[in-house]
Amino acid sequence: MFDWDWAFTLEILPRLLEATLNTLIAAGAGYVIAVFLGLAFALAQRTPFRALTLGVREAVEFIRSTPLVLQIFFVFFVGPQFGVTLSPWTAGMIAIGLHYSAYLSEVYRGGIESVPKGQWEAAAALSLSTRDTYFRIIIPQALPPSLAGMGNYLVGIFKDTPMLSVIGVAELMHTANAIGSENYRYLEPYTMVGIIFLCISLPAAAMVRSFEAWVRRKLGLS
Amino acid sequence: MSYTEFLAEHGPRLLDGTLVTAAQFFLATALAIAVALVMGLMKLSDNWLLKGVSVVYIEIFRGTSLLVQLYWIFFVLPLFGVTLEKFTAGFVAVGMNLGAYGAELVRGGILAVPKGQWEAAYSLSMSPARRMWRIILPQALLNMLPAWGNLLIELLKGTALVALISVADLMFEARQVNSATYLSAQTFGTALIIYYVFSRFLITPFMRWLELVMRRKMGRA
Amino acid sequence: MEDLSRFPLRLEGPDAPMVRFDHVTKRYGDLVVLEDFCLDVAEGEMVTVIGPSGSGKTTVLRILMLERIQEGVIYVDGAPISHMEKKGRLVPASERYLRRAREPIGMCFQHFNLFPHMTAIQNCMEGPVQVLGLSRQDARERAEELLEMVGMIEKKDEHPSRLSGGQQQRVAIARALAMRPKVMLFDEVTSALDPEVIGEVTEVIRKLVHEHRLTMLMVTHQMGFAADISDRVCFFYGGRIEEQGTPEELFGNPQKERTQQFLSAVKSAG
């Protein structure tokens, strides 16, 4: 029915593992951008400036409801049209970071809204500054309910990195494509890519869950 | 070239692509719903074999990327004697992938139905199938509708990947126009706006409306 | 724009009250909760506000600590807190001014509102360290002293989720006191508690009344407790004070019909 070539598999494994490292770097870098930019988006939606709040809200909606792969093309190709050339890596990190910051801002927003009103009042009763109220009272409590979502999107960003192959970032999918077209064999490279993804994302998802439980215990919330 | 001229010249192509995207969206949605129901119910089954199959399915499709699955279905599956035409391979991959996420929603929605409802149905001597279909599923559906709204937007975004196996959808046509004109901002910008309008002004309002109708029907308005 | 020139910039002199509500109006949208409300609380005085729910009594505390008013001026310790002085005139207070002006006020809530991610002693140190700028050592000593006073020193390293309601409320009182307030607000602090632990909280408040010269404003449903420890009781009805007096006067010989109705309804409810 089909012939799985073990020798070929072993031969391409080092190349795939090297590309896995690139995939992890891309996911990590994109995530770091998303974590901070997402917080900025979430906090911007809580300012009293209505225009800013609505503008950011709409931008988040826009980013969330359009395809990441199209956004990657947009960032990569629009720059040169106006004389700014971005490397595939830079364009990819901007696109994927921006995309996930929209998702993370929603996670943070949900977390912040889950903190009871009484906590804001208690902070006000102690005359805490707005900054202290956010960073010492509200965010520490908004974090545990946000952790599950944050963790899921870390795994999510990892699973979306193959889209970076379309602009030539040398991650796993791109490497598998290259191997396939060099050797006219797609069975092993594509299957191995699937297995590598499973081997990373399943334990990662489990770790996210236990980390969340650990933080909750640590903060005395359960 | 002004934007109106751009639209006059390339708009029809993008529109053709949009129709293909819409077809991919509807077919993949139908498949995703079917897969979600079957796998979600199987995961709740007491039969370890059914449960095991659904767990493996869900974990594989949620644990790897849609793009990997799409390539695998299109390029590798033929080696097993199953050759799918690219249009079919496209919506099958998207539907099977999002169906795995939907299965978890089905499962969660069913588990959120209060225990008293199961007991009440049992006390009326309903068969398990009838109980599920008549009593539990309708309530579960209402529980999970808001989450399905988000899932369908993810599904629409997922269809953009079929362009990478040369299905002539909106994404594909946008790339074609871009490489012909190098007007990237206009081309990709227009495509982004079409996707946005699709999800924000068609999918979201439709799901809201559906929820309202369901709510009314079940006397929970 | 409201004419504020009739309000003094500061309250001075030996007769100046610790808290003054000067013709205050508070609205939520179209709903008027307080209208043209006036009340003075002298230094060291314990004033209790009673009344049916929805009468606006909790709002009296909330506008001191948490919310803005639409008309009138509120003074605390001589200075306006709802407004600030600018070029010899009163203008609505900025957020920053508001926060500073409210520093001499402490507040305890019906639902305690302890910070769940901090232990009892961390809750009590938060304000002194972050707002008053105390060293951690000084803040810790102050917190321990106060937790000792409310009888919670043994539980100082517990998180709120491990404490009973009565214990949480005692920690909340210590947390408010750690800011060394001149005015303390108690907003139905026993309403969310099981009957058997109400006593431990009222005991702490009683101790405060007897041993410290704190100005206190309390909203409560517990008439017996109010009668016991208040210098003055105000009966609230429809957004204003219907009747006020010493506990003996108000509970013993109420003059207004609404007061009599309310008190007899409360009495028959037990």
Side-chain angles (χ1 to χ4, degrees):
Chain A
M1 191 170 83
F2 67 95
D3 50 334
W4 180 275
D5 186 340
W6 281 107
F8 180 57
T9 308
L10 279 179
E11 186 191 321
I12 63 173
L13 198 58
R15 255 178 99 182
L16 287 175
L17 289 180
E18 204 185 310
T20 305
L21 190 64
N22 274 349
T23 289
L24 289 174
I25 291 170
Y31 194 67
V32 169
I33 296 174
V35 162
F36 291 103
L37 198 58
L39 187 60
F41 282 168
L43 294 180
Q45 286 178 60
R46 300 192 62 92
T47 58
F49 310 109
R50 204 148 162 69
L52 178 69
T53 302
L54 286 178
V56 173
R57 167 97 242 110
E58 206 54 38
V60 166
E61 280 300 325
F62 189 91
I63 296 171
R64 274 176 7 121
S65 40
T66 49
L68 171 58
V69 66
L70 184 53
Q71 291 166 6
I72 292 173
F73 276 117
F74 186 88
V75 173
F76 186 60
F77 283 106
V78 166
Q81 196 182 350
F82 300 100
V84 190
T85 309
L86 299 175
S87 74
W89 269 93
T90 314
M93 291 305 93
I94 291 174
I96 212 165
L98 197 63
H99 192 77
Y100 274 88
S101 62
Y103 281 98
L104 284 180
S105 78
E106 290 293 288
V107 170
Y108 297 142
R109 213 165 62 100
I112 290 173
E113 280 167 11
S114 74
V115 178
K117 212 172 117 238
Q119 292 294 310
W120 294 90
E121 294 181 349
L126 292 179
S127 303
L128 290 181
S129 66
T130 308
R131 215 192 63 198
D132 281 341
T133 302
Y134 268 106
F135 285 97
R136 299 190 56 83
I137 308 299
I138 303 302
I139 291 181
Q141 293 182 65
L143 208 56
S146 304
L147 279 178
M150 288 177 73
N152 289 341
Y153 286 127
L154 174 59
V155 181
I157 209 169
F158 167 68
K159 284 186 292 186
D160 271 352
T161 50
M163 292 190 208
L164 296 172
S165 64
V166 297
I167 53 169
V169 174
E171 48 63 68
L172 254 181
M173 199 73 226
H174 191 263
T175 308
N177 281 338
I179 294 172
S181 57
E182 284 161 23
N183 300 280
Y184 301 106
R185 284 193 73 94
Y186 288 96
L187 171 65
E188 292 85 358
Y190 283 163
T191 308
M192 287 309 293
V193 168
I195 290 173
I196 291 173
F197 267 97
L198 271 182
C199 287
I200 295 176
S201 65
L202 291 188
M207 268 163 60
V208 165
R209 278 194 295 274
S210 53
F211 178 69
E212 189 206 353
W214 179 78
V215 171
R216 291 192 69 87
R217 269 201 313 280
K218 198 83 188 159
L219 289 173
L221 296 181
S222 61
Chain B
M1 189 191 253
S2 77
Y3 186 58
T4 7
E5 284 164 17
F6 171 82
L7 274 189
E9 196 173 331
H10 302 287
R13 268 198 93 158
L14 294 176
L15 204 61
D16 286 346
T18 306
L19 291 179
V20 174
T21 290
Q24 285 279 327
F25 173 77
F26 286 117
L27 290 167
T29 299
L31 181 61
I33 291 172
V35 167
L37 266 181
V38 171
M39 289 299 161
L41 288 173
M42 275 166 67
K43 195 167 175 184
L44 285 168
S45 158
D46 290 330
N47 182 316
W48 65 268
L49 185 64
L50 291 180
K51 196 178 173 141
V53 169
S54 73
V55 168
V56 169
Y57 178 90
I58 291 170
E59 293 302 325
I60 285 182
F61 276 88
R62 297 206 320 166
T64 61
S65 308
L66 172 56
L67 187 56
V68 179
Q69 292 154 23
L70 180 69
Y71 280 3
W72 207 88
I73 287 174
F74 189 62
F75 292 108
V76 177
L77 217 48
L79 303 177
F80 294 80
V82 186
T83 305
L84 295 178
E85 196 253 327
K86 62 190 177 191
F87 183 86
T88 316
F91 77 78
V92 164
V94 176
M96 288 181 79
N97 176 274
L98 273 302
Y101 288 89
E104 287 295 341
L105 296 186
V106 169
R107 182 174 161 270
I110 288 173
L111 289 178
V113 176
K115 212 166 142 247
Q117 294 293 313
W118 296 78
E119 291 168 354
Y122 185 80
S123 73
L124 295 175
S125 314
M126 284 188 173
S127 70
R130 178 172 296 266
R131 177 175 64 187
M132 180 57 77
W133 192 249
R134 302 268 326 149
I135 308 297
I136 306 302
L137 265 188
Q139 299 184 52
L141 196 56
L142 196 55
N143 289 340
M144 61 191 174
L145 261 186
W148 271 94
N150 285 330
L151 195 70
L152 289 188
I153 290 176
E154 293 303 316
L155 187 146
L156 172 70
K157 290 159 58 182
T159 62
L161 290 179
V162 303
L164 301 178
I165 55 168
S166 303
V167 177
D169 74 335
L170 176 56
M171 175 79 216
F172 182 84
E173 297 294 358
R175 282 181 78 183
Q176 297 286 325
V177 173
N178 181 60
S179 49
T181 63
Y182 292 104
L183 294 170
S184 306
Q186 289 88 327
T187 317
F188 291 129
T190 308
L192 281 171
I193 288 168
I194 294 174
Y195 278 110
Y196 180 61
V197 168
F198 203 127
S199 46
R200 178 99 204 230
F201 298 105
L202 291 176
I203 299 178
T204 305
F206 174 76
M207 292 305 283
R208 292 249 168 81
W209 172 82
L210 194 63
E211 199 186 330
L212 204 72
V213 169
M214 295 271 308
R215 225 168 248 293
R216 226 176 257 146
K217 244 184 147 156
M218 300 179 52
R220 283 207 229 160
Chain C
M1 194 67 196
E2 190 194 0
D3 177 26
L4 292 163
S5 58
R6 64 197 164 107
F7 296 102
L9 294 178
R10 286 189 65 84
L11 303 181
E12 270 152 341
D15 298 336
M18 181 54 101
V19 179
R20 166 170 289 175
F21 297 88
D22 205 346
H23 299 279
V24 170
T25 295
K26 169 71 188 173
R27 283 185 293 263
Y28 293 102
D30 289 337
L31 181 72
V32 180
V33 186
L34 294 177
E35 190 159 22
D36 208 28
F37 171 67
C38 296
L39 176 69
D40 280 5
V41 182
E43 190 177 352
E45 194 182 14
M46 169 59 145
V47 173
T48 300
V49 180
I50 60 170
S53 52
S55 60
K57 55 190 194 305
T58 285
T59 308
V60 173
L61 304 190
R62 294 184 66 88
I63 56 175
L64 266 177
M65 192 77 237
L66 302 168
E67 292 173 16
R68 285 177 178 270
I69 55 176
Q70 278 77 34
E71 283 166 40
V73 178
I74 302 173
Y75 299 89
V76 171
D77 199 15
I81 66 159
S82 56
H83 294 73
M84 59 185 183
E85 189 193 325
K86 204 172 183 182
K87 296 181 196 139
R89 292 168 19 153
L90 286 178
V91 297
S94 68
E95 278 302 320
R96 182 186 296 262
Y97 177 86
L98 208 55
R99 201 156 45 225
R100 291 302 307 271
R102 281 167 169 168
E103 269 181 35
I105 312 173
M107 184 167 186
C108 295
F109 303 86
Q110 181 177 358
H111 295 288
F112 337 128
N113 298 348
L114 287 179
F115 303 132
H117 56 304
M118 300 180 184
T119 61
I121 195 160
Q122 284 168 343
N123 263 281
C124 296
M125 291 166 62
E126 183 66 13
V129 171
Q130 301 299 328
V131 178
L132 305 181
L134 256 65
S135 73
R136 298 197 68 79
Q137 187 52 39
D138 291 349
R140 180 177 304 278
E141 279 166 18
R142 184 186 283 193
E144 280 173 349
E145 197 177 296
L146 287 164
L147 286 172
E148 178 80 57
M149 191 201 74
V150 300
M152 288 298 296
I153 192 72
E154 267 93 59
K155 304 267 187 187
K156 70 183 166 79
D157 294 321
E158 297 282 5
H159 280 94
S161 58
R162 310 270 308 222
L163 303 176
S164 73
Q167 292 173 328
Q168 289 191 50
Q169 194 60 287
R170 284 187 281 153
V171 173
I173 293 173
R175 176 176 74 177
L177 289 173
M179 299 293 284
R180 294 276 147 90
K182 292 181 171 163
V183 180
M184 271 292 276
L185 311 177
F186 295 98
D187 185 9
E188 302 197 23
V189 287
T190 54
S191 296
L193 297 176
D194 292 330
E196 70 271 20
V197 299
I198 288 179
E200 63 189 57
V201 172
T202 52
E203 216 36 58
V204 167
I205 298 175
R206 207 182 293 270
K207 208 152 130 192
L208 277 179
V209 171
H210 292 315
E211 295 173 11
H212 301 262
R213 256 184 76 80
L214 259 175
T215 308
M216 296 192 232
L217 250 172
M218 177 167 83
V219 170
T220 187
H221 288 126
Q222 289 203 272
M223 299 304 151
F225 178 54
D228 248 19
I229 66 161
S230 308
D231 298 310
R232 182 150 54 110
V233 180
C234 301
F235 173 66
F236 235 75
Y237 191 90
R240 40 185 215 88
I241 296 173
E242 179 83 7
E243 184 172 354
Q244 59 176 312
T246 64
E248 294 76 30
E249 288 165 359
L250 196 101
F251 290 115
N253 186 20
Q255 302 296 310
K256 299 278 180 68
E257 199 187 329
R258 285 204 178 101
T259 321
Q260 293 161 2
Q261 280 171 356
F262 175 74
L263 289 176
S264 68
V266 169
K267 199 170 290 166
S268 63

